[in-house]
Amino acid sequence: MKILDGKLAAQAVKEQLREAVEGLKAVGKRVPHLAAILIGDNGASATYVAAKVKACEETGFTSTLLRYETSISEAQLLEKITELNNNPSIDGILVQLPLPAHIAEEAVIKAIDPAKDVDGFHPVNLGKMVQGQPGFIPATPYGIMLLLEHFQIETAGKHAVVIGRSNIVGRPMSILLSGNNQPGNCTVTLCHSRTKELEAHCKQADIIVAALGKPEFLQASMVKEGAVVIDVGITRVKDDSKKSGFRLLGDVHFESVAPRCSWITPVPGGVGPMTIAALLKNTFQACQQRH
Ligand code: GUN
């Protein structure tokens, strides 16, 4: 069993981007600028956004963090997004999800200029991805594709099972893996909460992407010998022995599943760092297109 080390692969992506940023500076061009919006005091969201801002700094990007109280209205938030859309110094806009219940996620996503939608959640970018046209690919599935590429995992002709059909991860992942590209060319089964005989589907998979958000859901009995397992889950579980009061669990029961795998991602240090690396790549691309 080998580890799909997301930290290592993300470092390689960031190093490439750092050099590319130096290239922009050398010819007197503006460096990429990401604006991140964080609403409320969700601890996990705050941690993710802080990691994104830190990664921008490490890579030589400019970043602006905009924090608002949970009480911000949808109209106020949409107005802020319009300001960022119209601000020529901003290349990428990211609104950290989930949003408070009184704000419609769909309206917020649609308000972002598709040319600055570095999360790839806008219907225009999702449509381009479905058609195999260049655009912004959602950061987590894009990061997983970069991870498979980095470790040269063979995907063509393989059977991939994706568990979870969210707009952010599962559904785009199923489209990317089935696409006529490398990595890609998989035969894909998309499983979800209404799937019957989920275990039997998983057991046939050469590649499993677990993205359902249930800690330690995938057990050894569900995994074929030699499978590649990608764990997208990252749930905080109460743990008084930790200083933070919690520990992080993936959707895969790592201890029992790992010995059966050819490759597996750890949690943390697998998909998480790759999501950030992919976001940076999208932001660099947005900047280049706007130059
Ligand atoms: N919440 C969970 N994952 C993501 C992500 O990739 N982008 C944003 N904006 N919010 C998220």
Side-chain angles (χ1 to χ4, degrees), residues 37 45 48-49 52 93-98 119 121 138-141 168-169 275 279:
I37 297 182
S45 288
Y48 299 147
V49 172
K52 291 171 185 179
I93 302 168
L94 131 93
V95 181
Q96 188 66 25
L97 305 178
D119 253 333
F121 296 164
T140 299
I168 296 183
V169 187
T275 295
L279 171 73

PDB file of all heavy atoms in Angstrom, residues 37 45 48-49 52 93-98 119 121 138-141 168-169 275 279, ligand 1:
ATOM      1  N   ILE A  37     -14.719  35.289   0.810  1.00  0.00           N
ATOM      2  CA  ILE A  37     -15.778  35.772   1.704  1.00  0.00           C
ATOM      3  C   ILE A  37     -16.122  34.666   2.695  1.00  0.00           C
ATOM      4  O   ILE A  37     -16.404  33.527   2.306  1.00  0.00           O
ATOM      5  CB  ILE A  37     -17.042  36.175   0.904  1.00  0.00           C
ATOM      6  CG1 ILE A  37     -16.713  37.349  -0.033  1.00  0.00           C
ATOM      7  CG2 ILE A  37     -18.194  36.524   1.839  1.00  0.00           C
ATOM      8  CD1 ILE A  37     -17.904  37.855  -0.843  1.00  0.00           C
ATOM      9  N   SER A  45     -15.108  26.143   8.604  1.00  0.00           N
ATOM     10  CA  SER A  45     -15.034  27.071   7.468  1.00  0.00           C
ATOM     11  C   SER A  45     -13.914  28.086   7.680  1.00  0.00           C
ATOM     12  O   SER A  45     -13.160  28.402   6.754  1.00  0.00           O
ATOM     13  CB  SER A  45     -16.361  27.807   7.282  1.00  0.00           C
ATOM     14  OG  SER A  45     -17.333  26.939   6.775  1.00  0.00           O
ATOM     15  N   TYR A  48     -10.607  26.480   6.964  1.00  0.00           N
ATOM     16  CA  TYR A  48     -10.366  26.268   5.524  1.00  0.00           C
ATOM     17  C   TYR A  48      -9.999  27.576   4.842  1.00  0.00           C
ATOM     18  O   TYR A  48      -9.058  27.625   4.035  1.00  0.00           O
ATOM     19  CB  TYR A  48     -11.596  25.675   4.828  1.00  0.00           C
ATOM     20  CG  TYR A  48     -12.024  24.323   5.356  1.00  0.00           C
ATOM     21  CD1 TYR A  48     -13.368  23.955   5.385  1.00  0.00           C
ATOM     22  CD2 TYR A  48     -11.094  23.411   5.840  1.00  0.00           C
ATOM     23  CE1 TYR A  48     -13.759  22.723   5.886  1.00  0.00           C
ATOM     24  CE2 TYR A  48     -11.480  22.185   6.334  1.00  0.00           C
ATOM     25  CZ  TYR A  48     -12.816  21.845   6.366  1.00  0.00           C
ATOM     26  OH  TYR A  48     -13.195  20.631   6.865  1.00  0.00           O
ATOM     27  N   VAL A  49     -10.738  28.642   5.182  1.00  0.00           N
ATOM     28  CA  VAL A  49     -10.466  29.928   4.520  1.00  0.00           C
ATOM     29  C   VAL A  49      -9.072  30.440   4.930  1.00  0.00           C
ATOM     30  O   VAL A  49      -8.324  30.944   4.085  1.00  0.00           O
ATOM     31  CB  VAL A  49     -11.575  30.960   4.837  1.00  0.00           C
ATOM     32  CG1 VAL A  49     -11.192  32.338   4.325  1.00  0.00           C
ATOM     33  CG2 VAL A  49     -12.891  30.527   4.197  1.00  0.00           C
ATOM     34  N   LYS A  52      -6.555  28.776   2.881  1.00  0.00           N
ATOM     35  CA  LYS A  52      -6.548  29.273   1.494  1.00  0.00           C
ATOM     36  C   LYS A  52      -5.779  30.593   1.415  1.00  0.00           C
ATOM     37  O   LYS A  52      -4.972  30.803   0.502  1.00  0.00           O
ATOM     38  CB  LYS A  52      -7.991  29.441   0.988  1.00  0.00           C
ATOM     39  CG  LYS A  52      -8.702  28.107   0.789  1.00  0.00           C
ATOM     40  CD  LYS A  52     -10.204  28.247   0.504  1.00  0.00           C
ATOM     41  CE  LYS A  52     -10.856  26.865   0.437  1.00  0.00           C
ATOM     42  NZ  LYS A  52     -12.301  26.895   0.188  1.00  0.00           N
ATOM     43  N   ILE A  93     -13.012  35.090  -7.009  1.00  0.00           N
ATOM     44  CA  ILE A  93     -13.922  35.311  -5.870  1.00  0.00           C
ATOM     45  C   ILE A  93     -14.353  33.947  -5.350  1.00  0.00           C
ATOM     46  O   ILE A  93     -14.751  33.075  -6.127  1.00  0.00           O
ATOM     47  CB  ILE A  93     -15.183  36.095  -6.302  1.00  0.00           C
ATOM     48  CG1 ILE A  93     -14.789  37.441  -6.928  1.00  0.00           C
ATOM     49  CG2 ILE A  93     -16.125  36.293  -5.121  1.00  0.00           C
ATOM     50  CD1 ILE A  93     -15.953  38.146  -7.631  1.00  0.00           C
ATOM     51  N   LEU A  94     -14.281  33.805  -4.021  1.00  0.00           N
ATOM     52  CA  LEU A  94     -14.708  32.549  -3.415  1.00  0.00           C
ATOM     53  C   LEU A  94     -15.599  32.867  -2.228  1.00  0.00           C
ATOM     54  O   LEU A  94     -15.235  33.696  -1.393  1.00  0.00           O
ATOM     55  CB  LEU A  94     -13.459  31.763  -3.011  1.00  0.00           C
ATOM     56  CG  LEU A  94     -13.306  31.169  -1.652  1.00  0.00           C
ATOM     57  CD1 LEU A  94     -13.778  29.756  -1.666  1.00  0.00           C
ATOM     58  CD2 LEU A  94     -11.862  31.203  -1.250  1.00  0.00           C
ATOM     59  N   VAL A  95     -16.771  32.274  -2.186  1.00  0.00           N
ATOM     60  CA  VAL A  95     -17.671  32.424  -1.030  1.00  0.00           C
ATOM     61  C   VAL A  95     -17.685  31.071  -0.329  1.00  0.00           C
ATOM     62  O   VAL A  95     -18.137  30.073  -0.900  1.00  0.00           O
ATOM     63  CB  VAL A  95     -19.101  32.815  -1.470  1.00  0.00           C
ATOM     64  CG1 VAL A  95     -20.001  32.976  -0.241  1.00  0.00           C
ATOM     65  CG2 VAL A  95     -19.083  34.099  -2.299  1.00  0.00           C
ATOM     66  N   GLN A  96     -17.146  31.036   0.885  1.00  0.00           N
ATOM     67  CA  GLN A  96     -17.038  29.749   1.579  1.00  0.00           C
ATOM     68  C   GLN A  96     -18.430  29.225   1.934  1.00  0.00           C
ATOM     69  O   GLN A  96     -19.262  29.949   2.479  1.00  0.00           O
ATOM     70  CB  GLN A  96     -16.166  29.910   2.842  1.00  0.00           C
ATOM     71  CG  GLN A  96     -15.827  28.605   3.537  1.00  0.00           C
ATOM     72  CD  GLN A  96     -14.928  27.668   2.707  1.00  0.00           C
ATOM     73  OE1 GLN A  96     -14.187  28.101   1.842  1.00  0.00           O
ATOM     74  NE2 GLN A  96     -15.013  26.379   2.979  1.00  0.00           N
ATOM     75  N   LEU A  97     -18.666  27.974   1.620  1.00  0.00           N
ATOM     76  CA  LEU A  97     -19.936  27.303   1.936  1.00  0.00           C
ATOM     77  C   LEU A  97     -19.724  26.421   3.163  1.00  0.00           C
ATOM     78  O   LEU A  97     -18.601  25.999   3.410  1.00  0.00           O
ATOM     79  CB  LEU A  97     -20.383  26.451   0.740  1.00  0.00           C
ATOM     80  CG  LEU A  97     -20.513  27.188  -0.602  1.00  0.00           C
ATOM     81  CD1 LEU A  97     -20.917  26.205  -1.695  1.00  0.00           C
ATOM     82  CD2 LEU A  97     -21.503  28.339  -0.527  1.00  0.00           C
ATOM     83  N   PRO A  98     -20.721  26.092   3.938  1.00  0.00           N
ATOM     84  CA  PRO A  98     -22.125  26.441   3.755  1.00  0.00           C
ATOM     85  C   PRO A  98     -22.435  27.876   4.182  1.00  0.00           C
ATOM     86  O   PRO A  98     -21.698  28.467   4.978  1.00  0.00           O
ATOM     87  CB  PRO A  98     -22.834  25.445   4.672  1.00  0.00           C
ATOM     88  CG  PRO A  98     -21.840  25.127   5.750  1.00  0.00           C
ATOM     89  CD  PRO A  98     -20.499  25.230   5.119  1.00  0.00           C
ATOM     90  N   ASP A 119     -14.014  28.847  -7.830  1.00  0.00           N
ATOM     91  CA  ASP A 119     -14.520  27.624  -7.207  1.00  0.00           C
ATOM     92  C   ASP A 119     -15.180  26.723  -8.252  1.00  0.00           C
ATOM     93  O   ASP A 119     -15.449  25.552  -7.978  1.00  0.00           O
ATOM     94  CB  ASP A 119     -15.566  27.975  -6.136  1.00  0.00           C
ATOM     95  CG  ASP A 119     -15.035  27.771  -4.728  1.00  0.00           C
ATOM     96  OD1 ASP A 119     -14.146  26.926  -4.552  1.00  0.00           O
ATOM     97  OD2 ASP A 119     -15.516  28.470  -3.818  1.00  0.00           O
ATOM     98  N   PHE A 121     -18.238  26.799  -9.358  1.00  0.00           N
ATOM     99  CA  PHE A 121     -19.593  26.394  -8.976  1.00  0.00           C
ATOM    100  C   PHE A 121     -20.673  27.029  -9.865  1.00  0.00           C
ATOM    101  O   PHE A 121     -21.828  26.628  -9.822  1.00  0.00           O
ATOM    102  CB  PHE A 121     -19.891  26.782  -7.516  1.00  0.00           C
ATOM    103  CG  PHE A 121     -19.042  26.083  -6.487  1.00  0.00           C
ATOM    104  CD1 PHE A 121     -18.964  26.562  -5.185  1.00  0.00           C
ATOM    105  CD2 PHE A 121     -18.334  24.929  -6.804  1.00  0.00           C
ATOM    106  CE1 PHE A 121     -18.199  25.922  -4.226  1.00  0.00           C
ATOM    107  CE2 PHE A 121     -17.558  24.276  -5.851  1.00  0.00           C
ATOM    108  CZ  PHE A 121     -17.493  24.782  -4.556  1.00  0.00           C
ATOM    109  N   PRO A 138     -14.459  22.685 -10.306  1.00  0.00           N
ATOM    110  CA  PRO A 138     -14.555  22.769  -8.847  1.00  0.00           C
ATOM    111  C   PRO A 138     -13.288  22.232  -8.164  1.00  0.00           C
ATOM    112  O   PRO A 138     -12.735  21.199  -8.569  1.00  0.00           O
ATOM    113  CB  PRO A 138     -15.779  21.920  -8.513  1.00  0.00           C
ATOM    114  CG  PRO A 138     -16.623  21.979  -9.742  1.00  0.00           C
ATOM    115  CD  PRO A 138     -15.649  22.050 -10.895  1.00  0.00           C
ATOM    116  N   ALA A 139     -12.846  22.959  -7.155  1.00  0.00           N
ATOM    117  CA  ALA A 139     -11.504  22.758  -6.599  1.00  0.00           C
ATOM    118  C   ALA A 139     -11.246  21.341  -6.068  1.00  0.00           C
ATOM    119  O   ALA A 139     -10.156  20.802  -6.280  1.00  0.00           O
ATOM    120  CB  ALA A 139     -11.253  23.791  -5.507  1.00  0.00           C
ATOM    121  N   THR A 140     -12.225  20.732  -5.404  1.00  0.00           N
ATOM    122  CA  THR A 140     -11.936  19.413  -4.820  1.00  0.00           C
ATOM    123  C   THR A 140     -11.786  18.337  -5.902  1.00  0.00           C
ATOM    124  O   THR A 140     -10.767  17.633  -5.931  1.00  0.00           O
ATOM    125  CB  THR A 140     -12.987  19.037  -3.747  1.00  0.00           C
ATOM    126  OG1 THR A 140     -12.927  20.028  -2.713  1.00  0.00           O
ATOM    127  CG2 THR A 140     -12.729  17.671  -3.161  1.00  0.00           C
ATOM    128  N   PRO A 141     -12.748  18.210  -6.834  1.00  0.00           N
ATOM    129  CA  PRO A 141     -12.524  17.215  -7.901  1.00  0.00           C
ATOM    130  C   PRO A 141     -11.292  17.524  -8.749  1.00  0.00           C
ATOM    131  O   PRO A 141     -10.564  16.599  -9.136  1.00  0.00           O
ATOM    132  CB  PRO A 141     -13.794  17.294  -8.754  1.00  0.00           C
ATOM    133  CG  PRO A 141     -14.761  18.113  -8.012  1.00  0.00           C
ATOM    134  CD  PRO A 141     -14.080  18.826  -6.914  1.00  0.00           C
ATOM    135  N   ILE A 168     -20.670  19.921  -5.416  1.00  0.00           N
ATOM    136  CA  ILE A 168     -19.290  20.370  -5.184  1.00  0.00           C
ATOM    137  C   ILE A 168     -18.278  19.266  -5.460  1.00  0.00           C
ATOM    138  O   ILE A 168     -17.194  19.529  -5.951  1.00  0.00           O
ATOM    139  CB  ILE A 168     -19.141  20.876  -3.717  1.00  0.00           C
ATOM    140  CG1 ILE A 168     -20.007  22.109  -3.476  1.00  0.00           C
ATOM    141  CG2 ILE A 168     -17.710  21.146  -3.378  1.00  0.00           C
ATOM    142  CD1 ILE A 168     -19.838  22.690  -2.088  1.00  0.00           C
ATOM    143  N   VAL A 169     -18.628  18.026  -5.107  1.00  0.00           N
ATOM    144  CA  VAL A 169     -17.630  16.947  -5.246  1.00  0.00           C
ATOM    145  C   VAL A 169     -18.124  15.763  -6.098  1.00  0.00           C
ATOM    146  O   VAL A 169     -17.609  15.526  -7.194  1.00  0.00           O
ATOM    147  CB  VAL A 169     -17.137  16.413  -3.871  1.00  0.00           C
ATOM    148  CG1 VAL A 169     -15.993  15.424  -4.086  1.00  0.00           C
ATOM    149  CG2 VAL A 169     -16.682  17.532  -2.959  1.00  0.00           C
ATOM    150  N   THR A 275      -7.177  20.399  -2.726  1.00  0.00           N
ATOM    151  CA  THR A 275      -8.287  21.332  -2.994  1.00  0.00           C
ATOM    152  C   THR A 275      -7.734  22.760  -3.047  1.00  0.00           C
ATOM    153  O   THR A 275      -8.088  23.549  -3.932  1.00  0.00           O
ATOM    154  CB  THR A 275      -9.355  21.212  -1.872  1.00  0.00           C
ATOM    155  OG1 THR A 275      -9.913  19.913  -1.938  1.00  0.00           O
ATOM    156  CG2 THR A 275     -10.454  22.237  -2.028  1.00  0.00           C
ATOM    157  N   LEU A 279      -7.490  25.359  -6.233  1.00  0.00           N
ATOM    158  CA  LEU A 279      -8.046  26.723  -6.162  1.00  0.00           C
ATOM    159  C   LEU A 279      -7.010  27.741  -6.631  1.00  0.00           C
ATOM    160  O   LEU A 279      -7.324  28.683  -7.376  1.00  0.00           O
ATOM    161  CB  LEU A 279      -8.476  27.022  -4.714  1.00  0.00           C
ATOM    162  CG  LEU A 279      -8.874  28.460  -4.427  1.00  0.00           C
ATOM    163  CD1 LEU A 279     -10.230  28.783  -5.046  1.00  0.00           C
ATOM    164  CD2 LEU A 279      -8.903  28.735  -2.923  1.00  0.00           C
TER     165      LEU A 279
HETATM  166  N1  GUN B   1     -17.140  24.270   1.419  1.00  0.00           N
HETATM  167  C1  GUN B   1     -16.666  23.003   1.332  1.00  0.00           C
HETATM  168  N2  GUN B   1     -15.855  22.878   0.272  1.00  0.00           N
HETATM  169  C2  GUN B   1     -15.806  24.082  -0.326  1.00  0.00           C
HETATM  170  C3  GUN B   1     -15.131  24.576  -1.485  1.00  0.00           C
HETATM  171  O1  GUN B   1     -14.411  23.869  -2.195  1.00  0.00           O
HETATM  172  N3  GUN B   1     -15.335  25.882  -1.768  1.00  0.00           N
HETATM  173  C4  GUN B   1     -16.145  26.671  -1.024  1.00  0.00           C
HETATM  174  N4  GUN B   1     -16.306  27.939  -1.384  1.00  0.00           N
HETATM  175  N5  GUN B   1     -16.788  26.247   0.047  1.00  0.00           N
HETATM  176  C5  GUN B   1     -16.621  24.954   0.388  1.00  0.00           C
END
